[in-house]
Amino acid sequence: MFEAAELGRKISREEFDALAPSLRTELLDLQQQLREADFPVVIVFAGVDGAGKNESVNLINEWLDPRWIVTRAYGKPSDEEAERPTFWRFWRDLPPKGKIGLFLSSWYHDPLIARVHGHASAIEFDESLRPIIRFEKTLADEGALILKFWMHLSRPAQKKRLKSLEKEPLTAWQVTETDWKHYELYDKFVATAEQMIMQTSKGHASWRIVEGADSRYRSAVVLQTIKEAIAGHLATRAAASKIAAELKQATRGTDEQAVVPVALPPQPTILSSLDMSQDIDSAVYAQALQEQRARLAHLYRAAIEAKLSTVLVFEGWDAAGKGGAIRRLTNALNARDYQVIPIAAPTEEERAQHYLWRFWRHIARAGRVTVFDRSWYGRVLVERVEGFCSEEAWRRAYNEINDFEEQLTRHGIVLCKFWLHITSEEQLARFKARGEIDYKKWKLTDEDWRNRSKWGEYEQAVNEMVERSSTRTAPWTLVEANSKAYARVKVMNTVANALEHALERLEKHKK
Amino acid sequence: MFEAAELGRKISREEFDALAPSLRTELLDLQQQLREADFPVVIVFAGVDGAGKNESVNLINEWLDPRWIVTRAYGKPSDEEAERPTFWRFWRDLPPKGKIGLFLSSWYHDPLIARVHGHASAIEFDESLRPIIRFEKTLADEGALILKFWMHLSRPAQKKRLKSLEKEPLTAWQVTETDWKHYELYDKFVATAEQMIMQTSKGHASWRIVEGADSRYRSAVVLQTIKEAIAGHLATRAAASKIAAELKQATRGTDEQAVVPVALPPQPTILSSLDMSQDIDSAVYAQALQEQRARLAHLYRAAIEAKLSTVLVFEGWDAAGKGGAIRRLTNALNARDYQVIPIAAPTEEERAQHYLWRFWRHIARAGRVTVFDRSWYGRVLVERVEGFCSEEAWRRAYNEINDFEEQLTRHGIVLCKFWLHITSEEQLARFKARGEIDYKKWKLTDEDWRNRSKWGEYEQAVNEMVERSSTRTAPWTLVEANSKAYARVKVMNTVANALEHALERLEKHKK
């Protein structure tokens, strides 16, 4: 695979100086256009030591406007990073729309090194590449332009370079022991890299192999590639949105004659099959609440000991009692140990990112509880029903969400997802009640009434959501919430059970 | 001081239920108004264990709209937190304008506990309160409403409470060993708290002592106090801005007859006394650059070992060569170890915070280098000259900045501040040159010309800035930058010297 990168290709200073100015100008123009664009550029640099990874990053920062570039390189994870899923720190550092992110020793570093040093088996190595593929896919699906450069250097070329650097007293510092260690492992390193490149080269995120021996040649190739990729992506995105607009235009007229689906006799759905009559009387409730509260308090002290984190997702109809259920639960915890994250409209910084970014940023440290009052499921609920995102986008979201949640559970996080369900009649009654109690009026907005008018569409979306996203590791708990008492106890009981199991599993592991 | 909080004040259920609804409604109305307001509300809860700190926080979250409340409580700092100045984590968690922040075991916790357990002497205790006073002052000066509640419980009342909780199997979990340890230390604790409250009660951030024995009385007092404070602050802020507007109106007419200052013969200033002819020839430059680069590389490897962080501030005239100087410097570092933070217009999230918040958030972890391309000095430069903030605000900023920088240097961070100075003629020449080179055109904006037209005002602002903010621990380095070569070498040399000294100091400390 690397033969083509060992041909000793060169560019003379004259040749380089001849093409540099125009190349640089074009790149700067593109960067200006990019600022207005609706996608970020993610550029990964990996490769053989001394093949010019750092130099390329520095050159890009020198040629372009650094205010629109983020450079990131990674060492050993901090404890805050280690306590969260592996990709948390990469999500945290993603460039917003309009900016370019340069990544050194990125998400490819650890899997590659682990394999080269024999810490990972061939199977484990393949395993470790899968999340990478999904990560890049989800970014690309949202429009990100992803470029990956493998900077190559032949075995002799690398040796030659290290030697010559070492000779020079002023450059010797650049050669570290690691460089020589890696050199010893050259063959293993390159062989592993080859597999990695083959498995992770996708149409939306392909590797470019660059011969790194000659700095001018290398720079020209990298910058030229970036230039063409950005120009191309800008053009495709523009064309795509134009076509989309025309399609919308064209189909608008036909809305009236929309095809009427064959009317099947009504079928039972996940929601319709719930027994909404369930209830408990107030005496039992008071007792059960106290018991569950004490139980949760015990379990959480153990969980904090065991550094076991919890993520709780609350979705449900307006007025289904999410807030009340959350408060009964958090009353069993210390304010220090939990965060309730109410999901409102995204901020400017959040709008400039992948829609999952704003949820990643809230994932708490080990032992903590993160409660989402509404969540990433907004994508397949409100955004779907209100048409805030394209059908293609919300359909894709099921997989993105499953993948996101798998990363949480894989990391050992206890994840519970609740849909608080009430009947349309119950909702109406509660809306009316709210209207009458002064200090509850604020809870009732026109939006609630608008949403209510779309009950049917939401019902369909919810059924599909549960169907698609109730996985073995992250199942949905449907809560019959016409009775607030019943709902609250069921929620607390479910969380407590999940915690109990997780703690038992941990115990077993220890033995 | 606490006698008044040991009178056994109570409210009956009937009395509470009578006042609750209207109180709650008023609070909700105020919270709605607050959302539009230009200030955050910071509420600190401290006090005797079992006096209802957590309960009050839960109640506020229950009565108000939790989407506009942030609750924070603090345990042992994470390593990411420990590697930064103490207040970093509090800055990170500050509520934005329009929101209410509830803080448990806040910035008061560690100083108080350290003193109670005898880990801090009386002097050290006083010392540890000073940064708190300055922290609250700087928030209040920017408009924040600060409320501090000390929840009190008499010795017998606390004992009674702990005992009764322990009896009840369902509530026993609430009583931890720490509770009893604190109880043993009750007298010491309360005596220390008294000193703390006296020293940290200010007009803009005063303590309210609340008798915590009766939960209804306690809740009523806390909520009532919050209500009045928010209502009052909203009123004052509104009145103040009205008066300010009228003043502006009134003075507008008089601009023409502005008083002409007595024309003194021109005096030497810090800038005018620089020898701008300094230069070095290209051969010397190339050599010096290489040497400084190797020197910095060595020093930084030692600094990373020693977990010694660096913060570099670059200010200077447009086209003074900040970017070039920064790049020469960062070329000696690994991309992993530094971040260049170009300060552009603040984001929405940043505009909703104290102006120093956006700089706090970028302070890097131990051993890292953070380079600010423009900085917090924008407050006393561009914001002053362009009138983006009031005179009162930028005059106040000198102290706020000195205090901010003192926190950095106290934490052991190496701080270097550079003003890259060029003459007006040199700037003109560089502007023209930029206009001619395609790939440099982008660097030249209309704004540059606008700023240039205000050279005199900026010169005055710079002179005053250096005068006011060049402290012993954080001095300014004025760089004669008409010669880029000279400027770059001087910058690198200054940073290297600063590092060398810091490392030597650390060595001495070890011995």
Short mmCIF file of all heavy atoms in Angstrom, two decimals, chain B residues 408-454:
data_model
loop_
_atom_site.label_atom_id
_atom_site.label_comp_id
_atom_site.label_asym_id
_atom_site.label_seq_id
_atom_site.Cartn_x
_atom_site.Cartn_y
_atom_site.Cartn_z
N LEU B 408 -3.65 33.53 38.73
CA LEU B 408 -2.87 32.65 37.86
C LEU B 408 -1.46 32.46 38.43
O LEU B 408 -0.99 31.34 38.61
CB LEU B 408 -2.79 33.24 36.44
CG LEU B 408 -4.10 33.46 35.69
CD1 LEU B 408 -3.82 33.97 34.28
CD2 LEU B 408 -4.92 32.18 35.61
N THR B 409 -0.81 33.57 38.73
CA THR B 409 0.59 33.48 39.17
C THR B 409 0.68 32.82 40.55
O THR B 409 1.56 32.00 40.78
CB THR B 409 1.23 34.89 39.23
OG1 THR B 409 0.36 35.76 39.97
CG2 THR B 409 1.41 35.45 37.84
N ARG B 410 -0.28 33.13 41.44
CA ARG B 410 -0.30 32.48 42.75
C ARG B 410 -0.36 30.96 42.59
O ARG B 410 0.20 30.22 43.38
CB ARG B 410 -1.56 32.89 43.51
CG ARG B 410 -1.30 33.80 44.68
CD ARG B 410 -2.63 34.21 45.29
NE ARG B 410 -2.45 35.33 46.18
CZ ARG B 410 -2.13 35.20 47.47
NH1 ARG B 410 -1.95 34.00 47.99
NH2 ARG B 410 -1.97 36.26 48.23
N HIS B 411 -1.09 30.51 41.57
CA HIS B 411 -1.24 29.08 41.33
C HIS B 411 0.05 28.50 40.76
O HIS B 411 0.17 27.29 40.57
CB HIS B 411 -2.40 28.83 40.37
CG HIS B 411 -2.74 27.38 40.20
ND1 HIS B 411 -3.32 26.65 41.20
CD2 HIS B 411 -2.56 26.52 39.16
CE1 HIS B 411 -3.50 25.40 40.79
NE2 HIS B 411 -3.04 25.30 39.56
N GLY B 412 1.03 29.38 40.47
CA GLY B 412 2.32 28.91 39.98
C GLY B 412 2.44 28.99 38.46
O GLY B 412 3.44 28.57 37.89
N ILE B 413 1.42 29.54 37.81
CA ILE B 413 1.46 29.65 36.35
C ILE B 413 2.46 30.73 35.94
O ILE B 413 2.53 31.78 36.57
CB ILE B 413 0.06 29.99 35.79
CG1 ILE B 413 -0.88 28.81 36.02
CG2 ILE B 413 0.13 30.39 34.33
CD1 ILE B 413 -2.33 29.08 35.69
N VAL B 414 3.26 30.45 34.91
CA VAL B 414 4.18 31.45 34.35
C VAL B 414 3.39 32.32 33.39
O VAL B 414 2.81 31.83 32.42
CB VAL B 414 5.34 30.78 33.60
CG1 VAL B 414 6.24 31.83 32.97
CG2 VAL B 414 6.12 29.87 34.53
N LEU B 415 3.33 33.61 33.70
CA LEU B 415 2.53 34.54 32.89
C LEU B 415 3.44 35.58 32.24
O LEU B 415 4.18 36.27 32.94
CB LEU B 415 1.49 35.22 33.78
CG LEU B 415 0.66 36.35 33.16
CD1 LEU B 415 -0.15 35.85 31.98
CD2 LEU B 415 -0.25 36.97 34.21
N CYS B 416 3.43 35.65 30.91
CA CYS B 416 4.17 36.70 30.19
C CYS B 416 3.19 37.49 29.35
O CYS B 416 2.33 36.92 28.68
CB CYS B 416 5.24 36.11 29.29
SG CYS B 416 6.49 35.16 30.17
N LYS B 417 3.33 38.83 29.39
CA LYS B 417 2.43 39.70 28.62
C LYS B 417 3.27 40.57 27.70
O LYS B 417 4.19 41.23 28.15
CB LYS B 417 1.62 40.57 29.58
CG LYS B 417 0.89 39.78 30.65
CD LYS B 417 0.04 40.67 31.54
CE LYS B 417 0.85 41.56 32.44
NZ LYS B 417 0.00 42.29 33.42
N PHE B 418 2.94 40.50 26.41
CA PHE B 418 3.73 41.25 25.42
C PHE B 418 2.89 42.32 24.73
O PHE B 418 1.78 42.04 24.27
CB PHE B 418 4.26 40.29 24.36
CG PHE B 418 5.22 39.27 24.90
CD1 PHE B 418 4.79 37.98 25.18
CD2 PHE B 418 6.54 39.60 25.15
CE1 PHE B 418 5.67 37.03 25.69
CE2 PHE B 418 7.42 38.66 25.65
CZ PHE B 418 6.98 37.38 25.93
N TRP B 419 3.42 43.51 24.68
CA TRP B 419 2.85 44.54 23.81
C TRP B 419 3.81 44.71 22.64
O TRP B 419 4.94 45.18 22.82
CB TRP B 419 2.65 45.87 24.52
CG TRP B 419 2.20 46.93 23.55
CD1 TRP B 419 3.00 47.86 22.94
CD2 TRP B 419 0.88 47.12 23.02
NE1 TRP B 419 2.26 48.63 22.07
CE2 TRP B 419 0.95 48.19 22.10
CE3 TRP B 419 -0.34 46.48 23.22
CZ2 TRP B 419 -0.16 48.64 21.40
CZ3 TRP B 419 -1.46 46.93 22.53
CH2 TRP B 419 -1.36 48.00 21.63
N LEU B 420 3.38 44.29 21.45
CA LEU B 420 4.22 44.45 20.26
C LEU B 420 4.00 45.85 19.71
O LEU B 420 2.90 46.17 19.23
CB LEU B 420 3.91 43.38 19.22
CG LEU B 420 4.75 42.11 19.35
CD1 LEU B 420 4.55 41.48 20.71
CD2 LEU B 420 4.44 41.13 18.25
N HIS B 421 5.05 46.66 19.77
CA HIS B 421 4.91 48.06 19.41
C HIS B 421 5.56 48.35 18.06
O HIS B 421 6.68 47.92 17.81
CB HIS B 421 5.53 48.95 20.48
CG HIS B 421 5.22 50.39 20.28
ND1 HIS B 421 3.93 50.86 20.29
CD2 HIS B 421 6.02 51.47 20.07
CE1 HIS B 421 3.94 52.16 20.09
NE2 HIS B 421 5.19 52.56 19.95
N ILE B 422 4.83 49.04 17.19
CA ILE B 422 5.42 49.56 15.95
C ILE B 422 5.04 51.03 15.83
O ILE B 422 4.07 51.48 16.45
CB ILE B 422 4.93 48.79 14.70
CG1 ILE B 422 3.39 48.75 14.66
CG2 ILE B 422 5.49 47.39 14.66
CD1 ILE B 422 2.82 48.14 13.39
N THR B 423 5.82 51.73 15.03
CA THR B 423 5.49 53.14 14.82
C THR B 423 4.36 53.26 13.81
O THR B 423 4.12 52.35 13.01
CB THR B 423 6.72 53.89 14.26
OG1 THR B 423 7.13 53.20 13.08
CG2 THR B 423 7.86 53.90 15.25
N SER B 424 3.67 54.38 13.85
CA SER B 424 2.56 54.62 12.93
C SER B 424 3.03 54.50 11.48
O SER B 424 2.33 53.95 10.63
CB SER B 424 1.99 56.01 13.19
OG SER B 424 1.14 56.39 12.15
N GLU B 425 4.24 54.98 11.19
CA GLU B 425 4.75 54.92 9.82
C GLU B 425 4.92 53.46 9.40
O GLU B 425 4.52 53.05 8.31
CB GLU B 425 6.11 55.63 9.71
CG GLU B 425 6.11 57.10 10.15
CD GLU B 425 5.90 57.25 11.65
OE1 GLU B 425 6.42 56.39 12.40
OE2 GLU B 425 5.19 58.19 12.08
N GLU B 426 5.52 52.66 10.33
CA GLU B 426 5.75 51.26 10.02
C GLU B 426 4.42 50.55 9.74
O GLU B 426 4.30 49.77 8.80
CB GLU B 426 6.47 50.58 11.19
CG GLU B 426 6.71 49.09 11.02
CD GLU B 426 7.64 48.74 9.86
OE1 GLU B 426 8.41 49.62 9.43
OE2 GLU B 426 7.56 47.58 9.37
N GLN B 427 3.40 50.90 10.54
CA GLN B 427 2.11 50.25 10.32
C GLN B 427 1.57 50.58 8.93
O GLN B 427 1.14 49.68 8.20
CB GLN B 427 1.09 50.69 11.37
CG GLN B 427 -0.22 49.91 11.27
CD GLN B 427 -1.30 50.45 12.20
OE1 GLN B 427 -1.59 51.65 12.22
NE2 GLN B 427 -1.89 49.55 12.97
N LEU B 428 1.66 51.82 8.57
CA LEU B 428 1.17 52.24 7.25
C LEU B 428 1.87 51.43 6.16
O LEU B 428 1.24 50.85 5.28
CB LEU B 428 1.41 53.73 7.05
CG LEU B 428 0.80 54.31 5.75
CD1 LEU B 428 -0.71 54.08 5.72
CD2 LEU B 428 1.13 55.79 5.62
N ALA B 429 3.19 51.34 6.29
CA ALA B 429 3.97 50.60 5.29
C ALA B 429 3.49 49.15 5.22
O ALA B 429 3.28 48.61 4.13
CB ALA B 429 5.45 50.64 5.66
N ARG B 430 3.22 48.56 6.36
CA ARG B 430 2.82 47.14 6.37
C ARG B 430 1.41 46.97 5.80
O ARG B 430 1.13 46.03 5.07
CB ARG B 430 2.89 46.58 7.80
CG ARG B 430 4.31 46.47 8.30
CD ARG B 430 4.40 45.74 9.64
NE ARG B 430 5.78 45.78 10.14
CZ ARG B 430 6.17 45.20 11.28
NH1 ARG B 430 5.28 44.55 12.04
NH2 ARG B 430 7.42 45.27 11.67
N PHE B 431 0.52 47.90 6.13
CA PHE B 431 -0.83 47.85 5.55
C PHE B 431 -0.72 47.85 4.02
O PHE B 431 -1.31 47.03 3.34
CB PHE B 431 -1.65 49.06 6.01
CG PHE B 431 -2.27 48.90 7.37
CD1 PHE B 431 -1.93 47.82 8.19
CD2 PHE B 431 -3.19 49.83 7.83
CE1 PHE B 431 -2.51 47.69 9.46
CE2 PHE B 431 -3.76 49.69 9.09
CZ PHE B 431 -3.42 48.62 9.90
N LYS B 432 0.09 48.78 3.52
CA LYS B 432 0.22 48.90 2.06
C LYS B 432 0.76 47.58 1.49
O LYS B 432 0.23 47.04 0.53
CB LYS B 432 1.14 50.05 1.70
CG LYS B 432 0.46 51.42 1.93
CD LYS B 432 1.28 52.55 1.37
CE LYS B 432 0.54 53.90 1.47
NZ LYS B 432 1.49 55.01 1.72
N ALA B 433 1.79 47.06 2.13
CA ALA B 433 2.40 45.81 1.65
C ALA B 433 1.34 44.70 1.61
O ALA B 433 1.21 43.98 0.61
CB ALA B 433 3.55 45.41 2.57
N ARG B 434 0.55 44.62 2.67
CA ARG B 434 -0.47 43.58 2.73
C ARG B 434 -1.44 43.71 1.56
O ARG B 434 -1.84 42.73 0.94
CB ARG B 434 -1.25 43.67 4.04
CG ARG B 434 -0.51 43.11 5.20
CD ARG B 434 -1.35 43.13 6.45
NE ARG B 434 -0.64 42.45 7.54
CZ ARG B 434 -1.14 42.26 8.75
NH1 ARG B 434 -2.35 42.70 9.04
NH2 ARG B 434 -0.44 41.64 9.67
N GLY B 435 -1.81 44.93 1.28
CA GLY B 435 -2.75 45.15 0.20
C GLY B 435 -2.22 44.61 -1.11
O GLY B 435 -2.98 44.26 -2.01
N GLU B 436 -0.88 44.53 -1.21
CA GLU B 436 -0.29 44.14 -2.50
C GLU B 436 -0.12 42.64 -2.63
O GLU B 436 -0.16 42.09 -3.72
CB GLU B 436 1.06 44.86 -2.69
CG GLU B 436 0.87 46.32 -3.14
CD GLU B 436 1.98 47.23 -2.64
OE1 GLU B 436 3.03 46.72 -2.23
OE2 GLU B 436 1.77 48.46 -2.63
N ILE B 437 0.06 41.94 -1.49
CA ILE B 437 0.25 40.49 -1.58
C ILE B 437 -1.09 39.78 -1.45
O ILE B 437 -1.77 39.91 -0.42
CB ILE B 437 1.21 39.99 -0.47
CG1 ILE B 437 2.52 40.79 -0.52
CG2 ILE B 437 1.48 38.50 -0.62
CD1 ILE B 437 3.40 40.58 0.70
N ASP B 438 -1.48 39.05 -2.49
CA ASP B 438 -2.81 38.42 -2.51
C ASP B 438 -3.10 37.68 -1.21
O ASP B 438 -4.10 37.93 -0.54
CB ASP B 438 -2.91 37.43 -3.68
CG ASP B 438 -3.19 38.18 -4.98
OD1 ASP B 438 -3.58 39.36 -4.86
OD2 ASP B 438 -2.97 37.62 -6.06
N TYR B 439 -2.19 36.77 -0.84
CA TYR B 439 -2.51 35.90 0.30
C TYR B 439 -2.35 36.62 1.63
O TYR B 439 -2.42 36.01 2.69
CB TYR B 439 -1.67 34.62 0.26
CG TYR B 439 -0.18 34.82 0.36
CD1 TYR B 439 0.42 35.07 1.59
CD2 TYR B 439 0.63 34.77 -0.76
CE1 TYR B 439 1.78 35.26 1.69
CE2 TYR B 439 1.99 34.95 -0.67
CZ TYR B 439 2.56 35.19 0.56
OH TYR B 439 3.92 35.38 0.65
N LYS B 440 -2.12 37.92 1.56
CA LYS B 440 -2.12 38.67 2.82
C LYS B 440 -3.27 39.67 2.88
O LYS B 440 -3.56 40.25 3.91
CB LYS B 440 -0.78 39.38 3.02
CG LYS B 440 0.34 38.42 3.41
CD LYS B 440 1.57 39.16 3.92
CE LYS B 440 2.58 38.18 4.50
NZ LYS B 440 3.84 38.83 4.91
N LYS B 441 -3.94 39.83 1.72
CA LYS B 441 -5.03 40.82 1.66
C LYS B 441 -6.04 40.58 2.79
O LYS B 441 -6.48 41.49 3.46
CB LYS B 441 -5.74 40.73 0.30
CG LYS B 441 -5.03 41.49 -0.82
CD LYS B 441 -6.02 41.95 -1.87
CE LYS B 441 -5.37 42.68 -3.03
NZ LYS B 441 -4.88 41.74 -4.06
N TRP B 442 -6.40 39.30 2.99
CA TRP B 442 -7.45 38.98 3.98
C TRP B 442 -7.14 39.56 5.35
O TRP B 442 -8.03 39.86 6.14
CB TRP B 442 -7.62 37.47 4.09
CG TRP B 442 -6.42 36.76 4.66
CD1 TRP B 442 -5.33 36.33 3.96
CD2 TRP B 442 -6.17 36.43 6.01
NE1 TRP B 442 -4.42 35.75 4.80
CE2 TRP B 442 -4.91 35.79 6.07
CE3 TRP B 442 -6.89 36.60 7.21
CZ2 TRP B 442 -4.36 35.34 7.27
CZ3 TRP B 442 -6.32 36.15 8.39
CH2 TRP B 442 -5.07 35.52 8.41
N LYS B 443 -5.82 39.70 5.60
CA LYS B 443 -5.45 40.19 6.93
C LYS B 443 -5.83 41.66 7.11
O LYS B 443 -5.94 42.16 8.23
CB LYS B 443 -3.94 40.06 7.14
CG LYS B 443 -3.47 38.66 7.47
CD LYS B 443 -1.99 38.69 7.74
CE LYS B 443 -1.50 37.48 8.47
NZ LYS B 443 -0.04 37.58 8.71
N LEU B 444 -6.02 42.36 5.98
CA LEU B 444 -6.25 43.80 6.05
C LEU B 444 -7.73 44.10 5.92
O LEU B 444 -8.33 43.86 4.88
CB LEU B 444 -5.46 44.50 4.95
CG LEU B 444 -5.38 46.02 5.04
CD1 LEU B 444 -4.68 46.45 6.31
CD2 LEU B 444 -4.63 46.57 3.83
N THR B 445 -8.35 44.60 6.99
CA THR B 445 -9.79 44.88 6.94
C THR B 445 -10.02 46.37 7.13
O THR B 445 -9.14 47.10 7.59
CB THR B 445 -10.51 44.14 8.09
OG1 THR B 445 -10.05 44.69 9.34
CG2 THR B 445 -10.20 42.65 8.04
N ASP B 446 -11.24 46.81 6.80
CA ASP B 446 -11.59 48.22 7.01
C ASP B 446 -11.37 48.58 8.48
O ASP B 446 -10.97 49.69 8.82
CB ASP B 446 -13.06 48.47 6.65
CG ASP B 446 -13.34 48.07 5.20
OD1 ASP B 446 -12.34 47.78 4.51
OD2 ASP B 446 -14.51 48.01 4.81
N GLU B 447 -11.63 47.58 9.34
CA GLU B 447 -11.50 47.85 10.77
C GLU B 447 -10.08 48.31 11.08
O GLU B 447 -9.86 49.22 11.88
CB GLU B 447 -11.84 46.58 11.55
CG GLU B 447 -12.29 46.86 12.97
CD GLU B 447 -12.42 45.57 13.76
OE1 GLU B 447 -12.71 44.52 13.16
OE2 GLU B 447 -12.19 45.62 14.98
N ASP B 448 -9.09 47.66 10.42
CA ASP B 448 -7.70 48.05 10.66
C ASP B 448 -7.52 49.54 10.39
O ASP B 448 -6.90 50.27 11.16
CB ASP B 448 -6.76 47.23 9.77
CG ASP B 448 -6.79 45.75 10.13
OD1 ASP B 448 -7.03 45.45 11.32
OD2 ASP B 448 -6.63 44.91 9.24
N TRP B 449 -8.12 50.00 9.28
CA TRP B 449 -7.99 51.43 8.95
C TRP B 449 -8.72 52.29 9.97
O TRP B 449 -8.24 53.32 10.40
CB TRP B 449 -8.54 51.69 7.54
CG TRP B 449 -7.67 51.12 6.45
CD1 TRP B 449 -7.93 50.02 5.68
CD2 TRP B 449 -6.38 51.59 6.04
NE1 TRP B 449 -6.89 49.78 4.82
CE2 TRP B 449 -5.93 50.73 5.00
CE3 TRP B 449 -5.55 52.66 6.43
CZ2 TRP B 449 -4.70 50.90 4.38
CZ3 TRP B 449 -4.33 52.82 5.80
CH2 TRP B 449 -3.91 51.95 4.78
N ARG B 450 -9.92 51.82 10.39
CA ARG B 450 -10.66 52.57 11.41
C ARG B 450 -9.82 52.71 12.67
O ARG B 450 -9.63 53.80 13.20
CB ARG B 450 -11.98 51.85 11.73
CG ARG B 450 -13.16 52.33 10.92
CD ARG B 450 -14.48 51.95 11.61
NE ARG B 450 -14.53 50.53 11.92
CZ ARG B 450 -14.81 49.57 11.03
NH1 ARG B 450 -15.01 49.89 9.75
NH2 ARG B 450 -14.85 48.30 11.38
N ASN B 451 -9.27 51.53 13.13
CA ASN B 451 -8.46 51.58 14.35
C ASN B 451 -7.29 52.55 14.18
O ASN B 451 -6.96 53.32 15.07
CB ASN B 451 -7.91 50.19 14.68
CG ASN B 451 -9.03 49.21 15.00
OD1 ASN B 451 -10.15 49.62 15.28
ND2 ASN B 451 -8.72 47.93 14.90
N ARG B 452 -6.67 52.49 12.99
CA ARG B 452 -5.50 53.35 12.74
C ARG B 452 -5.87 54.82 12.90
O ARG B 452 -5.09 55.60 13.45
CB ARG B 452 -4.96 53.07 11.34
CG ARG B 452 -3.76 53.93 10.97
CD ARG B 452 -3.13 53.52 9.65
NE ARG B 452 -2.18 54.54 9.21
CZ ARG B 452 -0.97 54.69 9.73
NH1 ARG B 452 -0.60 53.89 10.72
NH2 ARG B 452 -0.16 55.62 9.29
N SER B 453 -7.08 55.15 12.49
CA SER B 453 -7.49 56.56 12.57
C SER B 453 -7.61 57.00 14.03
O SER B 453 -7.68 58.19 14.32
CB SER B 453 -8.84 56.74 11.86
OG SER B 453 -9.84 56.09 12.63
N LYS B 454 -7.67 56.01 14.94
CA LYS B 454 -7.77 56.38 16.35
C LYS B 454 -6.46 56.13 17.09
O LYS B 454 -6.45 55.87 18.29
CB LYS B 454 -8.90 55.56 17.00
CG LYS B 454 -10.26 55.85 16.40
CD LYS B 454 -11.36 55.10 17.12
CE LYS B 454 -12.72 55.53 16.60
NZ LYS B 454 -13.80 54.67 17.10
#
